[in-house]
């Protein structure tokens, strides 16, 4: 960068760190620290703004960061000399590059952690063949295209280094970016996704080895013997690291236990080891990021230590330092150097060569391995994704003067284009075959004529706080004393984000046989899986832990698809608020509210939203110790029928007493009640008849059961309704319908939670004095559309946007 920072023949004076302030005549932009702060803030605003604009077309954040870097550089805003001198003066670039490369070192360490060597060893010959084809053919074509470029725009470059750099640049696949594209397209758990992930990981390792060779060759001004020494020293470093690093970090990992904080000394030692490895490889003559990558691969990533380490580092690196690397690249990229028919023709030639070699090699070998054609073509498009890893290769080539300005700009635009088109091409080509509806999937509700048939529940939870109450709710739901009477799919909802920890989640889920099935208790199982496994062994309930790893915007698709695939009768979702120590409900994450809304609209079965106020306390209550009072508030309508059916099933548990309260509007005063369109049916007499039929059947069943109390209460208005409900606020659990068909229910105080309905909203309100949990039921509506979006937008209170 020293050469970039020169102006004429005179070197600019070094910048002081801090200023004395504008009141003493100093311009903050003439000093390193305030200027670096301005640069970082500008980078974050531009990159995050572009990421927001590109999100609707499902582009990974790396695209926004690359484009943002180009826009801030000489290709766009940098055309203004006053802007460049004020914001990115040449003498500030050393500080910017240093910060960017520190971020790069730790990013490559995280990228190494993301690679699961154990799964790669199990990937099989097919994945190995696809990976080798995906790197060998484009590497050869990259070498071929380099001859064309050397004859035109890269005449002065060193031949050997230029050939290898071009081969690596055209053959590389960006594993971190590919993983996030697969998650966005919901392909992580498909055969295509698994193959692409493993092949890209192998591709990454091969590319870094080739890149180390290219860097060793790039010292063209010295003797070829120096290149040999650099290469041999690099091999010696890798061998020493393989011998020394794994035992040390395995010892650290064994001293870190699940659920306990990791000692600070281990985190500091790891960060120091990463920097030390970077120093060694830089001293050898290979880029510092290579040493960090090697350490990342060798650190065990299957325990709490790796997860804690990633959580400590990833936000600062990916959110703050890494975008600086894109700006550093953008300042070197000048699209204006691509001018004339020849230059644009070379750009098209490079894009075609890179894409054709990668796609053709992958498709041909995939077909040879008996992969269906559409899947083979999809793999080709996925493996053609470049992204950040490509940019790292190009920057090293630019810094080593292997790539000139025009070649660098062409290669950057090629990387942007190939990454940008990956998502739309895969979306067009690959249409996963939807499994047909299960032939015997007839129990889509809790209420059914055959009371002894198995009840299947998909119970979702988003954190450890939900687990005790969810298990206690499951215990209360198991009904008759038969082992196969209840089958529960316990789905842990996890957000897949741009973070490295998301990739670790995927690896851990696969090792556990997830996200579909947990095939037993593993040593590295997390505490969530262990909790349900322990309950399964102690109870008469079939529990099958699962994990849904997806973005919050479409995780509802995983929930609904799983419910239909497993034949669930009801989906139980956690309310987006949890109980704090003072008894109030505070927001966990407002995103979960919208997840619940989308599930309610698209669910293939009944849905229950569970407002947890500590049902059974903070631990699992054994079957013999269960003693709950459950109250069903019955106003009428299909949702209330479902609540009543669930209550009747709970009453089969010997430790549960059930109270059913039916609210009847006093006939003589019915006219005083404001009529409300309840939206369930236009025929009230039919609804009333159905309600009566359901209740008569229920009363016959409970005629000789002393644990169930049935009462009818006559009410005149909403105030009397609320007063009666308050009489039962000492219950442990309320069961209510989401859309009661009764005027006295619908005219209750307007709820700030439309997804809970008027009664559920009242019970969840901070103004209602109760410690009871609430389960709000929505009966399967046979595909009839339910739209809660407008209602929820109208009722979004200011405090709901606040985080607790």
């Amino acid at each position: 960068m020293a050469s970039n920072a020169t102006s004429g023949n005179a070197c600019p004076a070094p910048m002081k760190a801090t200023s004395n302030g504008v009141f003493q005549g100093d311009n903050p932009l003439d000093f390193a620290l305030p200027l670096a702060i301005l640069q970082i803030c500008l980078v974050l605003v531009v990159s995050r703004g572009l990421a927001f604009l590109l999100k609707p077309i499902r582009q990974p954040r790396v695209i926004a960061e690359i484009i943002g870097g180009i826009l801030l550089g000489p290709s766009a805003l940098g055309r203004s000399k006053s802007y460049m001198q004020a914001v990115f003066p040449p003498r500030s670039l050393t500080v910017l590059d240093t910060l960017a490369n520190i971020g790069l070192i730790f990013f490559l360490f995280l990228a190494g952690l993301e690679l699961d060597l154990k799964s790669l060893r199990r990937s099989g010959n097919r994945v190995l063949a696809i990976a080798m084809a995906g790197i060998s053919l484009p590497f050869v074509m990259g070498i071929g295209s380099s001859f064309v470029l050397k004859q035109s725009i890269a005449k002065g470059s060193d031949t050997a280094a230029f050939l290898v750099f071009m081969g690596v640049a055209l053959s590389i696949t960006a594993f971190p970016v590919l993983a996030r594209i697969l998650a966005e397209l919901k392909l992580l758990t498909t055969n295509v996704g698994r193959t692409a992930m493993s092949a890209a990981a192998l591709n990454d390792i091969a590319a870094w080895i080739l890149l180390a060779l290219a860097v060793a060759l790039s010292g063209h001004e010295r003797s070829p013997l120096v290149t040999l020494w650099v290469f041999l020293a690099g091999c010696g470093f890798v061998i020493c690291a393989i011998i020394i690093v794994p035992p040390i970090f395995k010892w650290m990992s064994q001293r870190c236990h699940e659920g306990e904080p990791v000692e600070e000394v281990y985190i500091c030692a790891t960060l120091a080891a990463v920097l030390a490895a970077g120093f060694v490889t830089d001293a050898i003559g290979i880029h510092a990021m290579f040493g960090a990558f090697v350490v990342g691969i060798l650190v065990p990533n299957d325990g709490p230590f790796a997860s804690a380490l990633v959580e400590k580092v990833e936000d600062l690196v990916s959110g703050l330092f890494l975008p600086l690397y894109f700006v550093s690249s953008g300042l070197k990229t000048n699209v204006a150097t691509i001018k004339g028919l020849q230059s644009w023709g070379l750009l098209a030639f490079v894009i075609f060569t890179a894409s054709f070699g990668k796609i053709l090699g992958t498709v041909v070998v995939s077909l040879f391995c008996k992969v269906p054609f559409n899947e083979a073509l999809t793999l080709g498009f996925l493996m053609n994704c470049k992204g950040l890893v490509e940019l790292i290769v190009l920057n090293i080539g630019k810094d080593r003067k292997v790539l000139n300005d025009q070649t660098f700009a062409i290669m950057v635009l090629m990387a942007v284009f190939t990454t940008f088109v990956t998502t739309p091409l895969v979306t067009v080509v690959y249409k996963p075959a939807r499994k047909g509806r299960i032939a015997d999937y007839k129990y889509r509700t809790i209420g059914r004529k055959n009371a002894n048939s198995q009840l299947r529940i998909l119970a979702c939870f988003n954190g450890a706080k939900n687990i005790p109450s969810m298990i206690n709710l499951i215990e209360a739901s198991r009904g008759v004393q038969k082992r196969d009477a209840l089958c529960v799919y316990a789905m842990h909802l996890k957000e897949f984000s741009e973070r490295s920890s998301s990739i670790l989640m995927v690896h851990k889920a696969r090792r556990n046989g997830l996200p579909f099935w947990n095939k037993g208790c593993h040593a590295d199982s997390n505490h969530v899986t262990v909790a349900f496994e322990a309950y399964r062994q102690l109870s008469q309930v079939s529990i099958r832990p699962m994990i849904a790893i997806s973005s919050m915007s479409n995780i509802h698709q995983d929930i609904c698809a799983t419910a239909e695939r497993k034949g669930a009768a009801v989906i139980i979702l956690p309310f987006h608020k949890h109980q704090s120590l003072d008894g109030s409900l505070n927001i966990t994450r407002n995103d979960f509210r919208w997840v619940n809304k989308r599930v309610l609209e698209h669910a293939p079965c009944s849905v229950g939203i569970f407002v947890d106020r500590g049902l059974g306390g903070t631990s699992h209550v054994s079957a013999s110790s269960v003693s709950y009072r459950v109250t069903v508030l019955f106003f009428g309508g299909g949702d209330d029928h479902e609540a009543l059916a669930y209550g009747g099933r709970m009453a089969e548990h010997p430790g549960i007493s059930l109270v059913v309260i039916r609210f009847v509007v006093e006939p003589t005063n019915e006219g005083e009640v404001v009529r409300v369109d309840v939206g369930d049916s236009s025929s009230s007499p039919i609804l009333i008849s159905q309600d009566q039929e359901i209740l008569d059947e229920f009363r016959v069943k409970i005629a000789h059961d002393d644990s169930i109390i049935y009462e009818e209460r006559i009410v005149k208005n909403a105030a009397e309704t609320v007063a009666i409900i308050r009489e039962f606020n000492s219950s442990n659990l309320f069961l209510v319908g989401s859309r009661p068909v009764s005027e006295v229910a619908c005219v209750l105080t307007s709820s700030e939670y439309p997804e809970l309905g008027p009664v559920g909203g009242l019970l969840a309100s901070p103004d209602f004095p109760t410690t009871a949990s609430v389960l709000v039921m929505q009966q399967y509506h046979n595909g009839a559309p339910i739209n809660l979006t407008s209602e929820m937008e109208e009722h979004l209170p200011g405090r709901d946007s606040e985080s607790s």
Side-chain angles (χ1 to χ4, degrees):
M1 292 308 300
S3 62
N4 290 343
T6 58
S7 177
N9 295 322
C11 292
M15 301 181 77
K16 293 183 179 179
T18 58
S19 72
N20 294 318
V22 293
F23 295 108
Q24 297 190 41
D26 284 349
N27 180 359
L29 298 184
D30 292 335
F31 296 84
L33 179 61
L35 182 58
I37 293 173
L38 174 65
Q39 291 170 343
I40 291 172
C41 292
L42 181 62
V43 169
L44 294 180
V45 170
V46 172
S47 60
R48 293 291 175 162
L50 286 171
F52 177 79
L53 294 176
L54 293 174
K55 190 174 182 180
I57 56 176
R58 307 172 80 177
Q59 290 297 324
R61 198 172 72 200
V62 65
I63 286 288
E65 290 171 334
I66 295 175
I67 295 175
I70 294 174
L71 292 178
L72 291 173
S75 300
L77 295 176
R79 292 177 178 272
S80 170
K81 291 184 178 180
S82 58
Y83 158 81
M84 288 296 288
Q85 286 298 324
V87 182
F88 294 104
R91 56 182 179 167
S92 74
L93 297 183
T94 301
V95 175
L96 182 66
D97 279 355
T98 301
L99 291 174
N101 278 282
I102 288 175
L104 179 66
I105 287 172
F106 284 109
F107 173 79
L108 264 296
F109 168 68
L110 295 177
L113 268 177
E114 289 178 356
L115 298 178
D116 187 11
L117 296 181
K118 293 180 181 178
S119 66
L120 291 183
R121 286 197 291 266
R122 299 191 300 265
S123 56
N125 294 330
R126 185 178 73 169
V127 171
L128 180 62
I130 292 173
M132 295 308 298
I135 197 171
S136 56
L137 182 58
F139 186 83
V140 172
M141 296 191 72
I143 291 176
S145 65
S146 66
F147 286 106
V148 177
L149 295 177
K150 274 192 67 66
Q151 295 297 321
S152 52
I153 62 174
K155 293 181 180 179
S157 59
D158 178 68
T159 302
F162 187 70
L163 294 182
V164 179
F165 265 104
M166 286 297 296
V168 174
L170 267 65
S171 60
I172 205 164
T173 297
F175 172 79
V177 179
L178 176 64
R180 284 148 184 84
I181 290 176
L182 289 170
E184 176 66 30
L185 298 177
K186 309 191 83 60
L187 298 177
L188 269 176
T189 57
T190 63
N191 289 331
V192 168
R194 286 191 289 269
T195 304
M197 285 272 284
S198 299
L202 291 169
N203 197 314
D204 244 14
I205 294 173
W208 292 124
I209 294 172
L210 292 172
L211 179 60
L213 175 62
V215 172
L217 291 171
S218 61
H220 62 280
E221 295 179 358
R222 296 185 174 86
S223 166
L225 193 60
V226 174
T227 299
L228 178 62
W229 280 116
V230 169
F231 182 73
L232 292 177
C235 293
F237 166 77
V238 173
I239 294 171
C240 292
I242 291 174
I243 295 173
I244 297 172
V245 172
I248 295 175
F249 283 99
K250 186 177 182 180
W251 176 80
M252 288 185 185
S253 182
Q254 289 174 345
R255 295 175 66 87
C256 301
H257 304 288
E258 192 77 55
E260 297 181 5
V262 176
E263 292 186 31
E264 182 186 3
V265 65
Y266 297 153
I267 302 294
C268 292
T270 304
L271 300 183
V274 172
L275 293 174
F279 174 82
V280 171
T281 51
D282 187 81
I284 290 172
I286 306 174
H287 198 282
M289 59 88 189
F290 184 76
F293 181 74
V294 170
V295 173
I297 287 180
L298 297 176
V299 172
N301 61 3
D302 55 354
F305 174 68
S307 300
L309 187 62
V310 169
E311 288 176 5
K312 300 281 186 184
V313 177
E314 63 182 348
D315 285 337
L316 186 65
V317 171
S318 63
L320 190 63
F321 285 118
L322 201 57
L324 298 182
Y325 191 79
F326 293 103
V327 171
S328 178
S329 302
L331 294 175
K332 303 170 191 172
T333 306
N334 190 354
V335 178
T337 59
I338 307 175
K339 53 187 176 182
L341 186 60
Q342 182 192 45
S343 294
W344 287 105
L346 287 173
L347 173 61
F349 170 72
V350 169
I351 291 175
F352 173 79
T353 305
S355 302
F356 182 78
K358 178 71 75 171
I359 295 171
L360 179 66
T362 303
V363 169
V364 169
V365 174
S366 298
L367 291 175
F368 182 76
C369 296
K370 299 181 180 179
V371 176
F373 178 74
N374 68 322
E375 292 188 10
L377 191 59
T378 302
L379 281 172
F381 290 144
L382 289 170
M383 296 293 286
N384 194 40
C385 175
K386 307 292 185 188
L388 172 63
V389 182
E390 171 85 0
L391 220 59
I392 294 171
V393 174
L394 299 179
N395 273 279
I396 293 174
K398 182 74 163 58
D399 292 339
R400 299 273 174 155
K401 296 187 171 40
V402 176
L403 306 177
N404 60 24
D405 290 345
Q406 192 172 359
T407 307
F408 182 78
I410 287 175
M411 298 302 291
V412 168
L413 291 183
M414 180 271 292
V416 172
F417 178 82
T418 53
T419 308
F420 188 88
V421 300
T422 299
T423 298
L425 286 177
V426 171
T427 304
V428 170
V429 171
Y430 187 62
K431 307 287 185 184
R434 287 182 57 87
K435 295 181 179 180
R437 291 177 180 265
I438 302 173
D440 61 347
Y441 187 17
K442 55 186 177 181
Y443 296 129
R444 296 176 181 268
T445 62
I446 297 172
R448 71 273 303 268
K449 294 189 180 296
N450 183 6
N452 293 325
S453 59
Q454 185 185 64
L455 175 64
R456 295 188 178 187
I457 296 177
L458 176 61
C460 303
F461 55 96
N462 49 48
K465 291 182 179 179
N466 304 131
I467 296 174
S469 295
M470 190 65 74
I471 290 178
N472 291 334
L473 181 65
I474 292 170
E475 170 63 31
S477 308
R478 65 187 178 93
V480 294
Q481 299 294 319
K482 288 193 292 187
R483 185 172 182 80
D484 59 350
L486 180 63
C487 179
V488 178
Y489 302 93
M491 177 178 278
H492 192 179
L493 306 179
K494 287 191 172 186
E495 180 182 13
F496 190 98
S497 65
E498 297 282 345
R499 296 176 170 183
S500 298
S501 55
S502 296
I503 303 295
L504 295 183
M505 278 196 306
V506 173
H507 291 325
K508 181 177 284 190
R510 285 179 178 170
R511 284 192 294 268
N512 289 347
L514 301 166
F516 295 112
W517 300 115
N518 178 28
K519 299 176 182 177
C521 189
H522 298 257
D524 57 354
S525 298
N526 58 34
H527 60 283
V528 171
T529 304
V530 170
F532 282 101
E533 183 68 21
Y535 174 66
R536 183 189 67 81
Q537 295 177 357
L538 294 173
S539 68
Q540 298 293 319
V541 179
S542 173
I543 298 281
R544 304 186 184 186
M546 311 169 73
I547 296 180
I549 303 175
S550 189
S551 63
M552 296 304 292
S553 61
N554 56 25
I555 200 169
H556 68 282
Q557 297 174 4
D558 292 348
I559 297 172
C560 295
T562 303
E564 182 159 13
R565 188 169 59 248
K566 304 305 178 188
V570 62
I571 301 170
I572 297 180
L573 303 168
F575 191 47
H576 70 282
K577 289 188 173 185
H578 68 272
Q579 188 175 32
S580 60
L581 293 176
D582 62 359
S584 61
L585 291 174
N586 295 321
I587 294 177
T588 304
R589 269 189 63 177
N590 215 33
D591 289 347
F592 286 112
R593 183 178 188 186
W594 295 98
V595 172
N596 292 351
K597 184 269 295 185
R598 295 184 183 103
V599 173
L600 288 170
E601 292 177 351
H602 302 288
C605 59
S606 294
V607 181
I609 296 182
F610 184 45
V611 182
D612 179 21
R613 287 197 176 101
L615 180 65
T618 58
S619 61
H620 165 226
V621 178
S622 62
S624 60
S625 302
V626 170
S627 179
Y628 300 149
R629 184 183 183 189
V630 178
T631 301
V632 177
L633 303 178
F634 189 95
F635 292 88
D639 294 350
D640 283 27
H641 297 171
E642 198 72 347
L644 181 65
Y646 205 157
R649 185 176 184 91
M650 285 185 169
E652 296 177 12
H653 196 291
I656 291 179
S657 60
L658 177 69
V659 178
V660 178
I661 307 297
R662 183 192 184 188
F663 292 85
V664 181
V665 179
E666 188 173 355
T668 56
N669 292 285
E670 189 173 355
E672 299 176 10
V673 178
V674 179
R675 286 206 166 269
V676 178
D677 181 10
V678 294
D680 198 68
S681 175
S682 59
S683 178
S684 293
I686 293 178
L687 285 174
I688 294 172
S689 174
Q690 290 176 346
D691 292 343
Q692 194 61 51
E693 182 181 342
I694 292 287
L695 289 170
D696 289 344
E697 185 178 338
F698 178 76
R699 292 170 70 179
V700 170
K701 289 182 180 179
I702 66 170
H704 303 290
D705 193 337
D706 296 335
S707 66
I708 301 177
I709 300 173
Y710 174 84
E711 296 183 17
E712 290 190 357
R713 297 291 188 94
I714 298 176
V715 292
K716 299 178 182 178
N717 49 44
E720 289 188 3
T721 304
V722 173
I724 293 173
I725 295 175
R726 286 176 183 268
E727 294 179 17
F728 299 91
N729 61 8
S730 60
S731 299
N732 300 101
L733 176 67
F734 280 105
L735 287 170
V736 299
S738 174
R739 299 159 297 173
V741 183
S742 172
E743 290 84 354
V744 291
C746 294
V747 298
L748 293 174
T749 304
S750 179
S751 169
E752 60 179 325
Y753 311 120
E755 67 272 28
L756 299 182
V759 183
L762 171 70
L763 295 171
S765 169
D767 300 327
F768 190 82
T770 184
T771 58
S773 298
V774 184
L775 185 60
V776 183
M777 301 302 303
Q778 174 184 285
Q779 189 180 50
Y780 175 61
H781 46 83
N782 292 313
I786 294 177
N787 187 7
L788 293 169
T789 304
S790 58
E791 292 181 73
M792 289 182 67
E793 288 175 348
E794 290 175 7
H795 291 281
L796 275 179
R799 63 186 167 192
D800 260 15
S801 62
E802 298 173 3
S803 198
S804 59

